[in-house]
Amino acid sequence: MRALCGVLTVGLVAAACSRARPPQGDLAQAVSWEEDVAPLFAANCNSCHSGSAPAGGYRTTSYLEALGPKSARVAVAGDPDSLLLRTIDPAHADAVHAKVSGASATVRAWVVEGRLSFFRSQVHPGGILNPADPEFHGSLLRGLNWNFGICAGCHGADFSGGKAGVSCTQCHAQGPTACDTCHGQPPDSGAHKAHIQGAVGRKLDCSDCHVKPARFDDRGHLTTADGKARDTATITFGPLASLPGPGRAAPPSFSGGTCSNIYCHGATLQSATAPGLRPSWGGSAQCGSCHGLPPATHHPSSTECSACHQLTAAQGQKIGNPAFHVDGVVQVGDGSGTCSACHGTPQSAAPPRDLSGNASPSALGVGAHQAHLSGTHELSAPIACSACHQVPAEVHSPGHIDHALPATVVFSGLAVSDGADPTWDRTSATCSATYCHGGGLTMAQDTAFKLRKPVWTLGTSQAFCGSCHGLPPSTAAHAGVVFPDCSRCHSSTVAANGGIIVSGPPGARTSTHLNGAIDVNP
């Protein structure tokens, strides 16, 4: 637990407690900041050590700034070798500081004998406003188990002044019991800001890792169960960090500065390629540290996350929308959980769009998908996806996303009817020997066909009556037949005018043409 005023900014003029009561008796702090040193610095030092770019990065315009940064104090109470004193010592000052060395005696008395007192008072000790002093008011208050009632006795129940006539809100704008009095919102320590600001994922709340108190004095916040001041904050992981999954080995925990079994850091993903499943609180999380690039469940070449996770990722392995990252849901495609989440539309899972976002039939990923799935050629009922692909039961089914693009063409069902043995040539974008395009044992006898090797990307011009078999076919059974007299033998398939009979509404059409059987009248 940091000291009560540990987040006083360096530019804050700490004047709230300067005159809590009138001095009584002899003063222990004969030299103080407010009465002596501040006016001295204003006359000698502030011309260089002030503004947005002070000399040496050091300002003398306020008490806390004059003490120097926490990590390297310029002035240390009681220390005659403080950097501030050495810099303006007449015996050692450089040419610049020799001009102000006349202030050395007063400043030395302030640092050494006065112990960096802010003001002259017998009510409060000299270090009451110095965060590095054991008598700092935050430290004293902690020793009283955060009993703010003692402060309220003089400064009022709401700390607005009370009988002391000095308001604590001059320094603590939200009041001394507000969250940002003891720690920032969020705290500066560790990875607090990275979690709260949502740099690579949705913005977390304090309650995701801590019990968030309704009031500062809730039991378990500043004090232990027996009412003693706490030394460390309590880690109690919330629902997000505790989400279940097959990869979780144990409940989420924090020990020795390391988080373990945290959903947010890939505990449920079972990714052997992730190096950051147990992150250090002071470290940083890189893209891929929690799930690998790519995750172990993906093909090694699947490194463009936006192809499947466009709600979350932008191109180039970047987070496009942090609100959809580390949110408890693996956002695949548009997040709908359907086939059209990644390809096609809610009306039809067949492309367009394809996995690369293409919409033109001239793209291999689009081609004649819609012509087959919707039956737009009016030559048959819609062709099922399973005729050319292995349709997965779920996203991670074998053969679906466990390999690099392109999608695998696996002919089955209608495409292999009547002994057909089809092949797909990606280089020429052509199908050969599919039942749907004149393949199979029966049609092998027909030599009058026009096109049995259609080009996938040339549109519906590749499908027409007579392309897969002759008009009529050149088989013995069709000797003497003249087109369009097909209906004489195939009345359930072909109309009297030679047109294919296709019935039913769009998306649910039926036909006995291209159904895996040759329908001949009795």
Side-chain angles (χ1 to χ4, degrees):
M1 181 61 66
R2 292 201 318 183
L4 185 64
C5 290
V7 295
L8 286 173
T9 60
V10 293
L12 183 64
V13 178
C17 302
S18 61
R19 295 187 179 85
R21 295 179 187 174
Q24 300 177 7
D26 294 333
L27 294 173
Q29 306 90 26
V31 179
S32 68
W33 168 266
E34 187 175 63
E35 288 83 3
D36 305 294
V37 179
L40 191 63
F41 278 1
N44 294 275
C45 307
N46 291 2
S47 58
C48 293
H49 295 284
S50 62
S52 59
Y58 173 60
R59 295 187 184 88
T60 55
T61 51
S62 75
Y63 175 71
L64 293 179
E65 289 175 314
L67 300 183
K70 296 177 185 177
S71 58
R73 291 296 189 189
V74 173
V76 178
D79 183 6
D81 197 41
S82 291
L83 177 60
L84 175 60
L85 300 183
R86 287 186 279 115
T87 301
I88 62 173
D89 183 347
H92 302 94
D94 58 24
V96 173
H97 294 95
K99 299 176 184 179
V100 297
S101 60
S104 177
T106 300
V107 176
R108 174 176 289 274
W110 175 57
V111 173
V112 180
E113 290 80 25
R115 299 192 60 80
L116 300 175
S117 172
F118 178 80
F119 54 83
R120 298 173 183 171
S121 173
Q122 287 183 312
V123 176
H124 293 299
I128 194 71
L129 293 180
N130 180 1
D133 197 292
E135 295 179 329
F136 176 60
H137 64 285
S139 301
L140 297 178
L141 191 55
R142 184 190 182 283
L144 296 169
N145 294 330
W146 306 107
N147 183 0
F148 281 89
I150 294 176
C151 302
C154 291
H155 295 279
D158 59 357
F159 304 101
S160 62
K163 60 186 179 183
V166 176
S167 173
C168 300
T169 60
Q170 293 183 58
C171 290
H172 306 293
Q174 304 300 317
T177 61
C179 297
D180 62 357
T181 294
C182 293
H183 50 73
Q185 288 287 85
D188 290 328
S189 58
H192 278 108
K193 285 188 175 180
H195 286 74
I196 297 296
Q197 293 172 352
V200 296
R202 79 168 181 84
K203 296 179 180 180
L204 301 185
D205 186 74
C206 303
S207 59
D208 284 307
C209 300
H210 303 283
V211 173
K212 193 173 179 178
R215 282 177 47 88
F216 80 96
D217 54 357
D218 284 355
R219 186 57 59 88
H221 178 216
L222 296 175
T223 58
T224 60
D226 59 0
K228 301 298 183 182
R230 301 191 65 87
D231 290 324
T232 58
T234 302
I235 307 297
T236 304
F237 291 106
L240 182 65
S242 306
L243 281 175
R248 185 183 296 284
S253 63
F254 178 80
S255 177
T258 299
C259 291
S260 302
N261 298 305
I262 309 294
Y263 161 81
C264 315
H265 289 280
T268 65
L269 295 178
Q270 296 181 307
S271 183
T273 57
L277 301 184
R278 300 181 69 250
S280 169
W281 178 242
S284 60
Q286 305 299 321
C287 191
S289 62
C290 304
H291 50 62
L293 281 178
T297 55
H298 294 48
H299 190 273
S301 63
S302 302
T303 56
E304 185 49 69
C305 310
S306 61
C308 296
H309 306 286
Q310 60 263 35
L311 278 182
T312 303
Q315 289 188 339
Q317 297 180 353
K318 297 179 180 178
I319 302 301
N321 189 341
F324 289 117
H325 194 222
V326 196
D327 63 343
V329 180
V330 178
Q331 306 286 355
V332 179
D334 65 8
S336 64
T338 63
C339 295
S340 63
C342 293
H343 46 72
T345 66
Q347 290 70 45
S348 173
R353 77 189 177 279
D354 68 6
L355 293 179
S356 298
N358 297 311
S360 172
S362 63
L364 274 174
V366 178
H369 275 109
Q370 279 297 322
H372 285 72
L373 198 65
S374 302
T376 55
H377 40 58
E378 293 292 332
L379 293 178
S380 73
I383 307 298
C385 302
S386 58
C388 303
H389 298 288
Q390 180 177 328
V391 178
E394 59 180 10
V395 171
H396 288 288
S397 292
H400 187 211
I401 62 170
D402 54 4
H403 62 87
L405 289 176
T408 303
V409 176
V410 181
F411 293 107
S412 64
L414 184 63
V416 299
S417 295
D418 195 31
D421 186 19
T423 60
W424 158 251
D425 184 350
R426 180 174 173 81
T427 302
S428 61
T430 57
C431 289
S432 302
T434 62
Y435 168 81
C436 318
H437 289 279
L441 300 176
T442 302
M443 296 311 298
Q445 307 169 47
D446 182 12
T447 59
F449 62 87
K450 297 292 192 299
L451 182 66
R452 285 187 180 173
K453 193 175 180 180
V455 179
W456 177 247
T457 55
L458 290 184
T460 56
S461 64
Q462 300 289 284
F464 54 88
C465 197
S467 63
C468 304
H469 55 73
L471 286 178
S474 62
T475 61
H478 292 86
V481 177
V482 178
F483 181 80
D485 197 21
C486 309
S487 64
R488 180 160 58 89
C489 295
H490 307 286
S491 60
S492 65
T493 302
V494 187
N497 64 358
I500 303 300
I501 298 174
V502 180
S503 59
R509 294 185 177 95
T510 60
S511 177
T512 58
H513 192 230
L514 292 180
N515 67 346
I518 298 176
D519 300 285
V520 181
N521 295 346

